[in-house]
Amino acid sequence: RRDEPGWMASMGKEVLNHAKNCSWSFIPRAHLPRGRHVVRLIWVYKVKRDGSKKSRLCVQGCSQVAGVDYNQTFCAAMRGASLRLLCALAGRLGLHMRRWDFVAAYLQGELLEGEVCYCSPPPGFATAVVDGTTKLVPIADGDGVERLCRVEKPVYGMAQAGRRWQRSLFPWILAWRGVKGSSGKVPQLTQSKMDTCVFFCHATVDTPNGPREETLFLGCYVDDLFILSSHQDEYSLYHQLTSSLEDSWEIEDEGEASDLLSVELSREEGCVVLRQTSYIERLLDTYAPDGIPVYGDQSTTLKSHPAERVPAADDLAALVISAVEQKVEDIDPQLLKAYQSLVGALLYCAVNTRPDVAYSVGLLCRAMGKPTLDTYSAALRVLYYLYHHKSVGLRYGADQLDLSGMSDSDWAVRHSTTGFVFHYAQAAISWGSKKQSSVALSSCEAEIMALSEASKEAVYLADFLSELGFPASTDVSLATDNKGARDLAYNPEHHEKVKHIERRHFYIRELVEQQRLVVPYVNTVDNMADFFTKALAAAPFYSFRNKIMN
């Protein structure tokens, strides 16, 4: 509300931030270059979790013209798997985890020559220098002032703002140098090739008690820095880096990392635990504002129905197939929008911290364009399950085991489902439940397709760990419960039965020949990847969940 206390002060603070960073200069409207058009500046308002009011002045980027106002827009962000891998290393090595936040980050970036943007003045305010002091000057509606803002810094909302900010920050990180130690080497951060938003450093640091080996990891997600370090005293790499950050940027130390990307981080009994409790609670408030339905003679909406002890019912695959086969004209537009919103929100849990709903959400995604009331009810069932088990999370602890994985497939439906999971530091760091791209003619074919899909993730994770300084002591293990697929991974056997399979599905065999992977056999009852290929009864479901999520 415009008259609510605090908003005007918040807006004034934002405009002064722009003035301090020289985000734009004022020019006469007649000076607008030929072929350029005027873009609007708009206000975006948000009440933060602590109750404070935040106003953001943004360029209306959707009205910018590609090739005129900007060219490249891609801005990398740290992957969810990278966050889990760093947390797994923190749990394994006992690293400190802290979060740092850049203040008005985009405004600290620099635009390239020719990337300037022309905007109308900010609604309600302008800035002027009076007696050497920057002050706010209100602009009355319809005052007839013919001025434009020539935006010369990356402002929030600009299509290229994120890219320009990142192209300012990353060179600084790579140019950073620590204090030269007795070894003669100067500590510096190296950028990961597996995830360009992750940087790492292993160095010897001199202290009054003698030299010591230190480890430093840095993960960047837009304007948030996730810093993991083995030491934090005044001689440490962490202290050297953060002191340089404070000298060069406007940045705030937010203390021990407690959340990032709606993922909650905590330390419990020596382990690093990842949850999404608050996110799940917000989902229930949004999609089930009346609470979870009461069943039978239960007196509270917080008790679960027996059928909701697991996220997926036995008939979920059949419901999805039926939904996909319905006619387009039978689709309810309101149901379509609600279903896509709900399943998309559930998907964020499934890919970040909740592998226990990966299969059910993955299956529901197949009906994203043709939902029915039954599939919407199935999606609500997943939400109710998550709420009843909202405190469950991934728990990474200290062990000495190498990266290992398991693969499986389900040949019960037209397009089989590939499932895989990789373990490190006692819990899953990567998993998948995906529809196979082609129809498999046998269970062996479905399994070899699943193995090859999982092998790509195995290579990525193994190379990532090796790059960070933690190579596997042996070939990565990728187990399967199909003897035919295991044979095919080692030798070109069963030619008559597999001669039609595309060559790309035998990528697993190349990795085995290169001695990068081994494919041991595992019994179906012990294959944790089975968790990602079918709806399981409560007993095996919770048994696998406990092993996968620790």
Side-chain angles (χ1 to χ4, degrees), residues 352-421:
N352 277 292
T353 64
R354 299 303 297 262
D356 49 339
V357 299
Y359 168 73
S360 50
V361 174
L363 210 55
L364 290 169
C365 284
R366 302 185 191 183
M368 195 70 90
K370 293 183 176 181
T372 62
L373 289 174
D374 288 335
T375 54
Y376 186 78
S377 297
L380 285 176
R381 172 179 175 142
V382 177
L383 176 59
Y384 299 157
Y385 163 82
L386 283 173
Y387 186 79
H388 285 300
H389 301 266
K390 60 186 177 181
S391 62
V392 173
L394 297 166
R395 184 181 296 266
Y396 299 108
D399 68 11
Q400 300 302 316
L401 299 179
D402 286 331
L403 174 72
S404 63
M406 293 185 179
S407 167
D408 195 19
S409 71
D410 179 34
W411 196 49
V413 294
R414 184 179 305 164
H415 281 265
S416 300
T417 300
T418 288
F420 63 83
V421 60

Side-chain angles (χ1 to χ4, degrees), residues 7 13 27 40 66 121-122 179 328 332 375 425 436 453 457-458 490 522 524 527 531:
W7 285 119
K13 181 180 178 181
I27 63 171
R40 291 178 59 197
V179 177
V328 175
D332 181 351
T375 54
Q436 293 187 350
E453 183 67 27
E457 190 71 9
Y490 283 93
V522 60
T524 300
N527 189 355
F531 190 71

Side-chain angles (χ1 to χ4, degrees), residues 82 112 309 383 533:
S82 300
L112 292 179
R309 292 174 183 163
L383 176 59
T533 63

Side-chain angles (χ1 to χ4, degrees), residues 57-123:
L57 191 56
C58 302
V59 170
Q60 195 175 40
C62 60
S63 58
Q64 288 184 277
V65 178
V68 177
D69 297 309
Y70 64 90
N71 287 309
Q72 297 294 324
T73 62
F74 176 76
C75 173
M78 185 171 64
R79 299 175 65 246
S82 300
L83 174 62
R84 292 191 297 271
L85 184 57
L86 292 177
C87 290
L89 289 173
R92 185 181 178 112
L93 305 174
L95 302 179
H96 302 281
M97 302 185 299
R98 296 189 75 87
R99 174 176 168 174
W100 288 71
D101 179 59
F102 289 92
V103 179
Y106 282 12
L107 306 187
Q108 301 186 56
E110 296 290 340
L111 290 176
L112 292 179
E113 184 68 28
E115 281 193 330
V116 296
C117 181
Y118 297 89
C119 298
S120 301

Side-chain angles (χ1 to χ4, degrees), residues 197-210:
C197 293
V198 174
F199 302 82
F200 58 93
C201 177
H202 302 282
T204 302
V205 176
D206 291 336
T207 71
N209 297 323

Side-chain angles (χ1 to χ4, degrees), residues 207-327:
T207 71
N209 297 323
R212 69 187 180 202
E213 296 299 320
E214 289 194 16
T215 296
L216 183 70
F217 297 121
L218 189 153
C220 181
Y221 191 87
V222 190
D223 60 349
D224 289 316
L225 291 183
F226 181 47
I227 304 179
L228 299 90
S229 59
S230 55
H231 301 79
Q232 287 191 329
D233 57 45
E234 58 182 315
Y235 307 103
S236 64
L237 289 176
Y238 171 82
H239 180 74
Q240 296 175 33
L241 174 64
T242 53
S243 296
S244 298
L245 283 168
E246 290 178 311
D247 292 339
S248 303
W249 306 90
E250 190 174 355
I251 189 169
E252 294 178 347
D253 180 6
E254 297 195 341
E256 192 72 16
S258 59
D259 68 276
L260 190 67
L261 318 183
S262 292
V263 175
E264 300 155 19
L265 293 77
S266 62
R267 287 190 181 274
E268 300 174 11
E269 300 175 351
C271 295
V272 174
V273 184
L274 274 60
R275 296 189 180 94
Q276 287 181 278
T277 306
S278 298
Y279 179 77
I280 292 169
E281 290 174 345
R282 293 199 301 271
L283 290 190
L284 189 74
D285 291 339
T286 301
Y287 298 102
D290 297 329
I292 299 175
V294 178
Y295 296 98
D297 58 355
Q298 293 177 342
S299 59
T300 174
T301 61
L302 299 182
K303 293 182 179 179
S304 65
H305 187 270
E308 286 156 4
R309 292 174 183 163
V310 293
D314 295 338
D315 61 348
L316 179 58
L319 292 178
V320 170
I321 292 174
S322 177
V324 172
E325 292 177 346
Q326 69 175 319
K327 297 179 180 179

